[in-house]
Structure formats: structure tokens, C-alpha cells
């Protein structure tokens, strides 16, 4: 910056306005303090009766009365506790694509839409570039909500001041630490500036303390919610004083009639303050094991509290120093002024802003809204644009006059052929342009199609997570259970169709559910019906589990006690596997919307289970549904098995149950009156390989027929609501419990999932169900 230019760093805090003007002398390569101002507020802004919207403009108006800022740039600060600061280690990435990766990370790290925030980023040193790729790079991501930035900018806009730089207070303090204390300059090699030691900087304000740890390269920031006002309030409480008298007593504790009583009243706040700092140091050391803090620097007027420096030194076991002078700036008229010396510890943020405004720091980020910066850039270039346009217009006018003079001498015979050639060429150009535009449109269409397939990278993984959650919620067989051949003892459950529909009105979906079916839904979900837009998933499946001794292990009750209850868990964790979020993902209102009575049929354990090749009559119709129908068509098949089973199998059984030996279907139980009809087994029995089958048309069963087992097939349909929850919002615990719920798996949920969902959730897969593990042949739908 030229020697004639200057930068005002303005910090409006809780106690007052601090401002310092610096300019940079290129010849001496020296920053010079030219002017300063300190305007205290009549009241501390955080006091209940203070109105910041009135006090801040008053302080700014008084500052403008005292100082001439014409021709100078202005840099202001925003509080660190209202801003977001993240430091991200980037994966290996092409140097040209760092901006894209950071924007993707910003969407993940910032808990608001990017349109609602002002954000910026900057590489913080470290990392190497090899073969066009950046390795081990770290970037700082700094963001603040747009409305809060505009709120801090409003007093300057009302005063018709143009702000060139908006920076968070912690980064302004880092500018002071790196420039003034560590002597770093932006023109020097970053690696050569590595200090090797970490310095802890404490800036105590009125209500908060900014804690910053840095070695000149990396930055670690934390906000400690204790400031000078906490000491004042302790005196008002213990010594029954007004706030003003307590503030005066705090600042003059050593001169009070009873200093011991004053420090005794302040001791609890001292202890809390030290505890917060020790906790912060402990956490920093745990994540930066090689970092060693060498000393502590104190800033802010609150740090002038008598006894605080010594108390911190004794409890933290570090050298504690006050920053009572600025080493890298000259200007005796400012630095030696009594008012500046009295408040120098509170000028750290303003000093850091002015240094960055002079472009003498490595930090280059700003939270100035981009649209404001662009408008000013265009406005500043307008004079040059007007001058350029004027020159062009003059040139065009001169050219037109000369051309008009020459045009009068043009001969049609001389130029006629050339003009025809030009017209032909123009026609060809028009044809080529039309072809080009058509190809360009086709290319745009293909790119749009590809973008639809590859876009939304940050949300596509949510679909994989929802399928994983469904898979984890299914019961499974473990260990020796996998070798079980009796299907009634197998825990596994088969989902043969998954569909997802985007409902515009979840309340309407909830109202369509039959009231009798709501018994399977979580009590909290029943009390709070869903609303708005979301996805409704439908799971259709079957199971063969049938525990004769436990009603909860049979039929649809087994579905309720396993799959439904698992879908109501906050997280699920099977033995030997990692926890998988369920409700954490946004799954709610899981309900069994339909379920059929079990179909009982015999099968040979020496063959694979074929659940759909059932007896005649079973395939003629499903048993009556245990759930009534509803407007959405979610109930099971109505009616029962018409006529039951023919032959000697008790054709009048209304429930679809087969009579006979309960231990298994034996030769004797199949040789009833009339015998089994022709075609009892699929295609009239087993193939002509000598293996036994049910019926060959003569109503007899071969003597070598083995004992058959009974299987119970239950079909069901489950639905649940899914409102995707971003990863950054899943840190909350289960709202239904005081602590993180036990991620123990359901005791009946030790199963192996057979889920094979479609990769396109909005497309319904084939209605032909998958075969059960350990079976051969296709299964037909039993509807």
C-alpha cells in the first residue's frame, strides 16, 4: 500500500469502540501508527438496560467527529463466539480442484444452507505439491450467518462508511501474534517461519475470553464463557453493591479498605476461569500430542485485574505475560499517548485488523458479502470503462468517416464477384453455426443427464445408509444356527420387495393406516403423527419362524418383536459388528400394515425349501388377513383358502392348516381316503429320478417316503417414514431417553439378512420374489 494510504482497524466491543490507524512505509518496510481513538460506551452492552442499537451508532458518530477518515480503508471485527471456525485436513487432491473440495466440505461442516452464510477459506501452510496433487494440506474454513454479518455492518452503512474488510476477532488476534510477537511476514517462506513452540493467547473481554493456541502455522481456537463482568457480578452478589460500584472496586481492589474481602469474593470466579483454561489446554494437548505450550500471553482490559496474572502462573505452571506494548509498529505520538497506554491491552483486535488491511499478514480471508465487494469493484472501474468507451467511439467515428469517403469510389463491376463470394461464405458459416448449435444443444442435454446421475453427491450416500439400516434391523442366524434345516427354528426373515414413495402429505398417509394396525407402532410415534413431505418405505417379505412355546415367536408377532422393534431403535449393533444408526437417520413411525395368517405346508428337509410350491388349495387363495383393509390397499388378501385342501388332507380346513401327524407328514397321514390328488407336488411330483413325491395320480405314497416336516409361511408388509437427517445433525442423543440408548441388539434379532434392495428406490423391483437361501427353483407369489 502506498505511503499516503492508511487503514483504520475498528473493534466495537461490549465496553467501547477501539480504533487505530496504520499506514505502511514501503521504503522503510515499516508499519506506522498514525492515529487512534477510544470511545467507551455509557453502559456495557450486555447490561439488561443497555440498547446496543442506540449505543453503537452513538460511539461511531463520536469517532467520526474526532477523526478524518477520508481516503482511508476501514476494517471491522465480528465476535468469535457467533462465527464458525473449522480446520480441515484435505485428502490428496489436484491443486486446481482445492476450491471444489473445500466447497463440498463447507456443505458438510456448516449447519446452514450456503446461501444463508458468508464464508471464506484459506490454506494454513503445511502440505506439499507433487505431480499436480496437493498432499497433507490443511485449510481454515471461516463462516458466519449472513444476517449477523449484515447486523454488524449496518451502523457503518447508516453512517455512509464503506467497509473493506470484515474479520473475526480470533483471526485478528492471530494476526497480532504472528506479525508482532513471532515476526512473521507474508513475503517470507512459510517453512522458514516455523517457530517450533506454541503460544497460548488469552484475550479477556467483558463477557467472554478468546483462547487461541498457535505456533505461527496452525491455529486452535476456543471461546471461554467467562469475562470481566463475571468478576464484577461476583462482587455485586457477595458485597451487596451496585454494578457501577462493583466495577470501580474491581479495578481498584488493591486500594480498597479491605482487599482481602474483595479477593475472597472473587476467588470462585478465579477458580472457574482457571478450570476452563486447564480443560482447554488438556483437550488441545490430547489432539496435538507433539505440541508443547511454552508461555501464555494475556490481552484485554479484563486481564488487568489485580492478582489474575500471578494466579494463572501458579495454577497453569506456565510463564504468563501481559501484552503491554506492540513491537512491530512505530509511531510515538500514538504508542506513548497516556490514553493509548492505559487501554493498550484492549487494542489487540483493532491492531490485527489494521495489519491485515495493510496486507502484511498471511490471513487473507474476509466475511464481507461478495455482492458488496463486486459492486464496489465495478464502480471503481467505471471511470476507466467510460474513458475506454469514449476512445472507442472516437475511433469508430473517424473510421466511419473515412469509410464513407472510400465507399463513394467503389465500383460494382469491380467488387460484385467478391460480394457474391462473401454471401456464399456467409451462407456456409450460417450452416456451420446451425450445425454447431444443434451439437452444442445435444451435448448440453447429455451433460444434464449425466449431472442428474452423478449429482447430489452429499445425499446419495444417505440411500446406502437407509438400505444398511434396513439390513441391520432384520433378524439373523449366527453360529450353529446357520446350519439349522428346520425352517420353524430359523430366525432369518426375507424381504423380497422394497419400494419408496415420496409422500407430499405424511398426515394423510398416517390417517389411511387402519387403527387396529397402530398397536405395532412406537407409542411416541402414535402420539405425534408425521407431517410435511418425506419418503414412505414399504417392505414386503416372508418368514418361516414358528416357536411353538412362545406366541411372540410366531406369525406376525415375530415380525413385531424383531423387525418392527429394531426399526424403532436409535441405533442397532449386532454382536461383532459396528453400531448402525436407525432412528438417527430419520426413520420413524414403523408399523406393520398387513400380515397374513401362516400357511402350513409339508416339506422334505433333504430338499431345499420351496415356499411357493404349495399344495393345491394353498395356491388358490391366501388365508384371511388378520388386518382389515384400508383406503391405501395395504391389507392382506381377503377371504380364506376356498375349499381348503382336497384329497385326504382335510379339505375343509378354513385356516389353511394341514391335518396329520404334528411331528411331520408321514406315509400314513398321506394315505387318507381318496389320497392326494393328481399334481399334489409341482408338475405331478418329483422328476422321474426315483425320488419320492406326493401323488402320482393313484392316491398312494411310495413306501420309501421319508418323514416330512411342517413349515409355516407368514407374509407381511411393513411401512416406515424416512426424513433424511444430515450427518452433521446426528450427534444428538435419543430424544426419548436421558442418555445414549443401549445399542444392544434385539435378543431375537440374530439373523442373516437376505435383503436385496433395488438401487433405484423409486422403482419397484420385479414381483417375482427371491428364493430363500438353501432352496432351488423359483417362487410364485401366493396371492
Amino acid at each position: 500500500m502506498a505511503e499516503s494510504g492508511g487503514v483504520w482497524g475498528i473493534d466495537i466491543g461490549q465496553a467501547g469502540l477501539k480504533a487505530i490507524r496504520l499506514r505502511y512505509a514501503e521504503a522503510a518496510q515499516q508499519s506506522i501508527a498514525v492515529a487512534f481513538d477510544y470511545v467507551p460506551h455509557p453502559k456495557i452492552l450486555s447490561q439488561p438496560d443497555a440498547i446496543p442499537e442506540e449505543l453503537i451508532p452513538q460511539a461511531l458518530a463520536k469517532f467520526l467527529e474526532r477523526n478524518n477518515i477520508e481516503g482511508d480503508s476501514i476494517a471491522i471485527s465480528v465476535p468469535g463466539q457467533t462465527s464458525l471456525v473449522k480446520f480441515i485436513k484435505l485428502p490428496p487432491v489436484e491443486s486446481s480442484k482445492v476450491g471444489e473440495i473445500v466447497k463440498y466440505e463447507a456443505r458438510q461442516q456448516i449447519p446452514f444452507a450456503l446461501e444463508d452464510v458468508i464464508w471464506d477459506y484459506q490454506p494454513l501452510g503445511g502440505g506439499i505439491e507433487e505431480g499436480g496433487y496437493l498432499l497433507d494440506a490443511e485449510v481454515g474454513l471461516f463462516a458466519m450467518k449472513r444476517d449477523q454479518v449484515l447486523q454488524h455492518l449496518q451502523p457503518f452503512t447508516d453512517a455512509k462508511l464503506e467497509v473493506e474488510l470484515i474479520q473475526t476477532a480470533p483471526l485478528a488476534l492471530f494476526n497480532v501474534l504472528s506479525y508482532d510477537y513471532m515476526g512473521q511476514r507474508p513475503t517470507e517462506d512459510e517453512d522458514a517461519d516455523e517457530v517450533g513452540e506454541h503460544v497460548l493467547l488469552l484475550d479477556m473481554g467483558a463477557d467472554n475470553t478468546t483462547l487461541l493456541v498457535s505456533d505461527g502455522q496452525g491455529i486452535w481456537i476456543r471461546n471461554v464463557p467467562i469475562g470481566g463482568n463475571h468478576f464484577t457480578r461476583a462482587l455485586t452478589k457477595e458485597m451487596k453493591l451496585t454494578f457501577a460500584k462493583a466495577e470501580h472496586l474491581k479495578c481498584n481492589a488493591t486500594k480498597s479498605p479491605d482487599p482481602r474481602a474483595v479477593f475472597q469474593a472473587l476467588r470462585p470466579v478465579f477458580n472457574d476461569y482457571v478450570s476452563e483454561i486447564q480443560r482447554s489446554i488438556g483437550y488441545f494437548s490430547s489432539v496435538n500430542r507433539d505440541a508443547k505450550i511454552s508461555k501464555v500471553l494475556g490481552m484485554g482490559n479484563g486481564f488487568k485485574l489485580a492478582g489474575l496474572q500471578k494466579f494463572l502462573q501458579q495454577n497453569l505452571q506456565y510463564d504468563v505475560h501481559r501484552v503491554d506494548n506492540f513491537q512491530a509498529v512505530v509511531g510515538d505520538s500514538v504508542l506513548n499517548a497516556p490514553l493509548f497506554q492505559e487501554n493498550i491491552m484492549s487494542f489487540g483486535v483493532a491492531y490485527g485488523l489494521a495489519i491485515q488491511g495493510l496486507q502484511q499478514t498471511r490471513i487473507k480471508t474476509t466475511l464481507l458479502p461478495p455482492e458488496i465487494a463486486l459492486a464496489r469493484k465495478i464502480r471503481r472501474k467505471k471511470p476507466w470503462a467510460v474513458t475506454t468507451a469514449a476512445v472507442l467511439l472516437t475511433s469508430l467515428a473517424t473510421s466511419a468517416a473515412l469509410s464513407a469517403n472510400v465507399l463513394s469510389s467503389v465500383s460494382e463491376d469491380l467488387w460484385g464477384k467478391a460480394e457474391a463470394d462473401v454471401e456464399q461464405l456467409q451462407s456456409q458459416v450460417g450452416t456451420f453455426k446451425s450445425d454447431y448449435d444443434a451439437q452444442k444443444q445435444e451435448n448440453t442435454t447429455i451433460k444434464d443427464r449425466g449431472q442428474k446421475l452423478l449429482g447430489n453427491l452429499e445425499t446419495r450416500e444417505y440411500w446406502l445408509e437407509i438400505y444398511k439400516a434396513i439390513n441391520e434391523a432384520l433378524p439373523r442366524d449366527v453360529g450353529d444356527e446357520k446350519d439349522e434345516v428346520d425352517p420353524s427354528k430359523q430366525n432369518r426373515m426375507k424381504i423380497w420387495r422394497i419400494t419408496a414413495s415420496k409422500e407430499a402429505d405424511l398426515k394423510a398417509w398416517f390417517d389411511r393406516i387402519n387403527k387396529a394396525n397402530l398397536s405395532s407402532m412406537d407409542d411416541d410415534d402414535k402420539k405425534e403423527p408425521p407431517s410435511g413431505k418425506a419418503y414412505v418405505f414399504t417392505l414386503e417379505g416372508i418368514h418361516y419362524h414358528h416357536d411353538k412355546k412362545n406366541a411372540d415367536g410366531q406369525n406376525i408377532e415375530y415380525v413385531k418383536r424383531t423387525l418392527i422393534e429394531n426399526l424403532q431403535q436409535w441405533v442397532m449393533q449386532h454382536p461383532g459388528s459396528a453400531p448402525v444408526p436407525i432412528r438417527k437417520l430419520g426413520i420413524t413411525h414403523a408399523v406393520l400394515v398387513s400380515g397374513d395368517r401362516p400357511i402350513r405346508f409339508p416339506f422334505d428337509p433333504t430338499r431345499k425349501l420351496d415356499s411357493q410350491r404349495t399344495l393345491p388349495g394353498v395356491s388358490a387363495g391366501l388365508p384371511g388377513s388378520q388386518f382389515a383393509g384400508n383406503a391405501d390397499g395395504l391389507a392382506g388378501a381377503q377371504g380364506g383358502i376356498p375349499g381348503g385342501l382336497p384329497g385326504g388332507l382335510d379339505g375343509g380346513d378354513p385356516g389353511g392348516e394341514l391335518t396329520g401327524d404334528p411331528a411331520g407328514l408321514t406315509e400314513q397321514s398321506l394315505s387318507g381316503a381318496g389320497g392326494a390328488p393328481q399334481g399334489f407336488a409341482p408338475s405331478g411330483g418329483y422328476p422321474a429320478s426315483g425320488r419320492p413325491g406326493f401323488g402320482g395320480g393313484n392316491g398312494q405314497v411310495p413306501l420309501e417316503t421319508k418323514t416330512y416336516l411342517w413349515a409355516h409361511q407368514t407374509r407381511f408388509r411393513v411401512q416406515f417414514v424416512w426424513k433424511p437427517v444430515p450427518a452433521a445433525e446426528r450427534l444428538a442423543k435419543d430424544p426419548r431417553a436421558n442418555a445414549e440408548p443401549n445399542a444392544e441388539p434385539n435378543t431375537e434379532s440374530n439373523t442373516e439378512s437376505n435383503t436385496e434392495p433395488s438401487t433405484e428406490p423409486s422403482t419397484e423391483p420385479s414381483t417375482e420374489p427371491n428364493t430363500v437361501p438353501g432352496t432351488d427353483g423359483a417362487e410364485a407369489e401366493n396371492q
Side-chain angles (χ1 to χ4, degrees), residues 446-457 460 760:
I446 294 174
K447 287 176 64 176
D448 291 343
R449 190 181 307 162
Q451 185 62 31
K452 290 180 181 178
L453 293 175
L454 300 177
N456 297 324
L457 293 177
R460 287 177 65 188
E760 189 67 30

Side-chain angles (χ1 to χ4, degrees), residues 295-316:
K295 62 185 66 178
V296 177
L297 299 179
M299 299 184 70
N301 276 344
F303 213 83
K304 295 192 296 185
L305 181 63
L308 177 60
Q309 180 179 357
K310 183 178 179 181
F311 188 79
L312 291 176
Q313 189 160 318
Q314 290 175 346
N315 288 274
L316 298 180

Side-chain angles (χ1 to χ4, degrees), residues 147-188:
D147 56 350
Q148 292 178 339
V149 172
L150 296 178
Q151 180 182 352
H152 288 285
L153 191 60
Q154 190 61 46
F156 296 89
T157 303
D158 294 340
K160 301 187 181 333
L161 299 178
E162 291 189 353
V163 175
E164 300 294 334
L165 171 66
I166 300 178
Q167 187 58 273
T168 63
L171 289 184
L173 293 173
F174 173 75
N175 289 336
V176 176
L177 182 64
S178 61
Y179 180 83
D180 197 272
Y181 182 78
M182 297 180 177
Q184 296 181 353
R185 298 295 181 267
T187 57
E188 300 174 1

Side-chain angles (χ1 to χ4, degrees), residues 141 226 260 346 480 520 728:
L141 180 64
I226 298 178
R260 181 180 180 85
S346 66
D480 294 341
S520 62

